């Protein structure tokens, strides 16, 4: 029997990108996994998301409201309207399986699978499972994990640590080969530092890098490429005085990862997965207000595995970053070892293995 699969990938890029990666595999290996049709279910406000402008399959848009206490009286009616629309849309397309990528926007698809007894699979990107995963894991046939989790919430359910699915356009051309091995040679004068604040940017990271570049020794030994986020580009550009390459956003991250020797970033699961497949050492500055503090847990896992160092700070003080960079410049073997640890943690085939786990053939 062939499956009609819906991927609920709605909230943020951290949910959308791995969902698109799974859709790519389902489309490309349709006959292998006995798939008839594939759909993505996403929020209307994500129509400008780069991964959904030219998606691998049809996107079913919805406007599921996010619960806010101030609107608690009208929320049930808004939710009910969107859920009824979801039911008719899914029944029209004969959905047989739902893959939930997490986030509140996946709720209508998950409820549909439960109420109409369709196959339900969940993907959890972070070391601390999100509310959707914690609430509905007992209804799922299988749960695919990106990292080992600390909370013992899957004792009674089948789960597997596979890795975070990565889009085809991001995957390195030379698989399983150490990325930029020669760039960690101590004879090289300049090391390239890629700074990622996420699609919305991070003022703290932007300002920290600009201050770091004011250090004369840093400016001589490192080159920075700073992805500011669209909303913070002009502000950061106007503040910049040093030799920093400032970009608002990049739709094609592969050249940036190939250029980099070191990454400075938040610790969202998507960024971590992409840096790992390129074998990149990381300086992680977790976003302190992330739900359940999951970025801190993600960062600590990668640091404990020897692939990153963490700066726990909400200020733009450059001192910790300057210290790490100068230490690595004088001790390139440490940086090289971190790169190998990074590559060891990666799973470039996570998307294919996740689909194989959900739909064994």
């Amino acid at each position: 029997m062939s499956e009609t699969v819906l991927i609920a990938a709605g909230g943020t890029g951290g949910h959308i990108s791995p969902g698109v990666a799974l859709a790519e595999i389902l489309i490309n290996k349709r006959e292998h996994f006995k798939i008839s049709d594939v759909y993505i279910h996403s929020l209307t406000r994500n129509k400008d998301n780069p991964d959904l402008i030219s998606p691998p399959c049809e996107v079913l848009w919805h406007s599921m409201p996010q619960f806010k206490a101030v609107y608690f009286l009208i929320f049930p009616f808004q939710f009910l309207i969107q859920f009824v629309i979801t039911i008719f849309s899914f029944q029209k397309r004969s959905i047989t399986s739902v893959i939930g990528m997490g986030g509140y926007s996946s709720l209508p698809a998950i409820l549909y699978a439960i109420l109409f007894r369709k196959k339900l699979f969940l993907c959890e990107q972070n070391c601390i499972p999100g509310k959707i995963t914690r609430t509905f894991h007992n209804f799922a046939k299988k749960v695919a994990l990106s990292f080992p989790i600390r909370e013992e919430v899957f004792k009674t359910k089948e789960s597997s640590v596979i890795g975070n699915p990565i889009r085809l356009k991001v995957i390195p051309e030379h698989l399983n080969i150490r990325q930029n091995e020669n760039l960690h040679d101590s004879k090289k004068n300049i090391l390239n530092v890629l700074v990622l604040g996420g699609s919305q940017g991070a003022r703290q990271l932007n300002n920290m890098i600009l201050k770091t570049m004011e250090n004369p020794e840093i400016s001589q030994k490192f080159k920075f490429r700073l992805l500011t986020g669209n909303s913070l580009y002009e502000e950061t550009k106007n503040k910049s005085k040093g030799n920093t390459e400032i970009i608002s956003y990049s739709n094609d991250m592969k050249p940036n990862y190939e250029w980099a020797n070191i990454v400075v970033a938040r610790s969202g699961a998507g960024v971590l997965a992409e840096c790992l497949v390129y074998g990149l050492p990381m300086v992680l500055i977790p976003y302190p207000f992330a739900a359940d503090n999951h970025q801190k847990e993600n960062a600590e896992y990668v640091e404990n595995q020897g692939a990153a160092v963490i700066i726990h700070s909400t200020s733009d003080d450059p001192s910790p970053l300057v210290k790490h960079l100068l230490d690595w410049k004088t001790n390139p073997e440490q940086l090289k070892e971190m790169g190998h640890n990074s590559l060891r943690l990666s799973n470039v085939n996570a998307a294919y293995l996740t689909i194989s786990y959900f739909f064994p053939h």
Side-chain angles (χ1 to χ4, degrees):
M1 176 182 174
S2 61
E3 300 279 355
T4 300
V5 182
L6 179 124
I7 301 171
T12 63
H15 301 299
I16 295 171
S17 292
V20 169
L22 295 183
E24 290 173 337
I25 296 298
L26 286 168
I27 293 296
N28 293 341
K29 302 291 185 180
R30 186 194 302 262
E31 294 182 2
H32 180 71
F33 290 107
K34 297 181 180 179
I35 305 298
S36 58
D37 291 293
V38 181
Y39 301 95
I40 292 174
H41 197 229
S42 191
L43 290 168
T44 303
R45 65 176 170 81
N46 289 326
K47 285 190 174 182
D48 292 331
N49 183 283
D51 289 325
L52 297 178
I53 292 176
S54 298
C57 62
E58 182 181 355
V59 180
L60 308 180
W61 303 105
H62 68 100
S63 301
M64 177 59 59
Q66 186 172 11
F67 177 78
K68 296 181 180 179
V70 68
Y71 299 123
F72 76 97
L73 289 177
I74 63 173
F75 175 80
F77 299 100
Q78 293 176 324
F79 180 90
L80 183 59
I81 290 171
Q82 290 300 315
F83 188 51
V84 170
I85 293 172
T86 295
I87 291 174
F88 281 111
S89 176
F90 289 7
Q91 288 187 337
K92 178 182 177 181
R93 293 168 175 83
S94 301
I95 303 298
T96 62
S97 297
V98 170
I99 301 175
M101 304 305 297
Y104 80 93
S105 64
S106 64
L107 182 57
I110 290 173
L111 289 179
Y112 177 86
I114 294 171
L115 292 176
F116 291 91
R117 298 188 177 184
K118 307 301 180 182
K119 296 176 184 177
L120 175 62
F121 307 98
L122 297 179
C123 289
E124 176 54 55
Q125 289 86 40
N126 298 297
C127 289
I128 294 184
K131 291 180 181 178
I132 289 292
T133 306
R134 296 199 301 267
T135 302
F136 295 104
H137 71 275
N138 279 323
F139 295 95
K141 290 178 66 67
K142 295 179 180 179
V143 182
L145 306 174
S146 294
F147 302 110
I149 60 172
R150 293 193 179 184
E151 295 185 23
E152 299 290 335
V153 298
F154 300 114
K155 289 181 179 179
T156 61
K157 296 302 298 182
E158 184 177 353
S159 63
S160 179
V161 179
I162 298 174
N164 203 13
I166 299 173
R167 298 159 295 168
L168 293 175
K169 67 179 182 180
V170 179
I171 292 176
E173 293 182 12
H174 303 291
L175 303 183
N176 300 320
I177 297 177
R178 174 71 178 92
Q179 174 67 22
N180 287 337
E181 182 81 50
N182 61 310
L183 294 179
H184 297 281
D185 191 322
S186 60
K187 295 180 181 179
K188 183 174 175 61
N189 293 323
I190 302 295
L191 289 177
N192 297 332
V193 182
L194 177 65
V195 185
L196 306 173
S199 59
Q200 301 303 312
R203 183 175 281 107
Q204 176 198 5
L205 267 65
N206 296 344
N207 291 339
M208 182 185 292
I209 294 304
L210 296 181
K211 291 183 178 181
T212 299
M213 284 296 297
E214 295 175 2
N215 182 294
E217 193 172 0
I218 290 289
S219 63
Q220 293 175 6
K221 297 179 179 180
F222 296 88
K223 182 176 181 180
F224 291 82
R225 180 177 293 179
L226 174 56
L227 274 66
T228 64
N230 292 328
S231 62
L232 297 176
Y233 173 74
E234 291 296 336
E235 172 189 313
T236 309
K237 187 74 173 176
N238 292 334
K239 292 180 180 178
S240 175
K241 297 178 181 178
N243 182 26
T244 304
E245 184 180 357
I246 298 178
I247 303 171
S248 61
Y249 180 79
S250 176
N251 190 31
D252 184 7
M253 284 301 298
K254 184 185 291 188
N256 295 304
Y257 290 131
E258 291 174 341
W259 173 86
N261 303 116
I262 303 166
V263 170
V264 179
R266 295 299 195 194
S267 47
V271 168
L272 293 182
E274 292 178 0
C275 290
L276 292 177
V277 299
Y278 282 87
L280 288 167
M282 289 169 272
V283 179
L284 299 176
I285 308 172
Y287 180 57
F289 306 108
D292 301 312
N293 211 9
H294 68 262
Q295 287 208 8
K296 173 178 175 290
E297 294 291 330
N298 293 347
E300 288 181 350
Y301 171 74
V302 178
E303 182 184 54
N304 290 338
Q305 296 295 316
V309 296
I310 303 175
I311 297 177
H312 291 290
S313 174
T314 57
S315 78
D316 55 14
D317 176 17
S319 302
L321 178 59
V322 168
K323 181 180 184 303
H324 285 307
L325 293 177
L326 293 180
D327 285 347
W328 287 334
K329 189 61 184 175
T330 57
N331 185 10
E333 286 302 314
Q334 181 183 3
L335 193 65
K336 184 175 180 179
E337 182 181 358
M338 289 179 67
H340 283 295
N341 289 333
S342 182
L343 192 65
R344 174 179 56 81
L345 291 176
S346 69
N347 187 351
V348 75
N349 296 314
Y352 178 84
L353 293 175
T354 299
I355 295 301
S356 298
Y357 176 58
F358 290 161
F359 303 101
H361 52 280

